[in-house]
Amino acid sequence: EVVTWEEKLEKARWRIDSSLWSAVGLLVLVFLIFEYTELDLAVQDKCYNFETRTWVVDGESAPPRLWFYDGPKIGIILLGLGVLALALMPQNWRAKLPFKDIGRRHLWIAILTIGTVPAVIGQLKASTNIFCPAEIERYGGEMPYVRVVESYPEDNYPDRRGRCFPAGHPSGGFALVGLLGLAMTRRGQRLGVALAMIFGWSMGLYQMLVGSHYLGHVVITMLIAWIGFLLWRRVFRVHRMPEKL
């Protein structure tokens, strides 16, 4: 008996699309928690040595930068290019590959998630005017610590804009959640989620340990990536009717 792509996907997939509004609500809740508590500073204090005035990880050290900054970025770009190649490939060429059953719409959703999530995060960073931990006075910098919902003091207003919220570097890692839509089995879906979390959190934790981001910045970016993925699924209408082409 021949089982179609739609039947495989319908049988195996999680009901991920119903989580959209829950994810939006969670995003708001998480934002409020980090904005109105000292949780970010409490966690960031553990990443900084106040006696030596240094971060747990030296941001200039080559090995960790290769493993958790430059390396993952290159890996994400290569993955994105691979998915793009599959999406642009003629159907008769794809039929000869192990990935021949992956729906073209799902490929474009993955590509657009990987491409647009970092772009959206970049725009938010440019508009929120928040400084990174290493830049604020508490950790040896020169800028006052101000949250998104707060204003800078008139007697200590920065002479430049901050670009630290949400977390930009791990956004590409979390955007790999778009690969979840390519899986035909729950095991494959779990692998897609695991890949996004491994990339996103390894990149995010590295940024925290070198003083480039707070925990809240990373969590917010993770949720935005998930929401972005679900929104693209709605744009392509695969949340209602999974299609092969």
Side-chain angles (χ1 to χ4, degrees), residues 75-112:
I76 292 166
I77 291 171
L78 292 177
L79 275 171
L81 290 175
V83 177
L84 178 61
L86 281 175
L88 295 175
M89 191 177 295
Q91 183 62 27
N92 60 329
W93 290 13
R94 285 205 297 146
K96 302 175 183 178
L97 299 175
F99 314 106
K100 62 181 182 297
D101 288 332
I102 297 178
R104 199 180 297 273
R105 290 188 180 187
H106 294 279
L107 289 167
W108 282 112
I109 290 169
I111 294 164
L112 289 168

Side-chain angles (χ1 to χ4, degrees), residues 109 112-113 116 227-237:
I109 290 169
L112 289 168
T113 302
T116 59
I227 292 169
F229 167 57
L230 295 182
L231 288 176
W232 279 120
R233 287 177 61 82
R234 277 165 166 70
V235 170
F236 283 85
R237 302 184 67 82

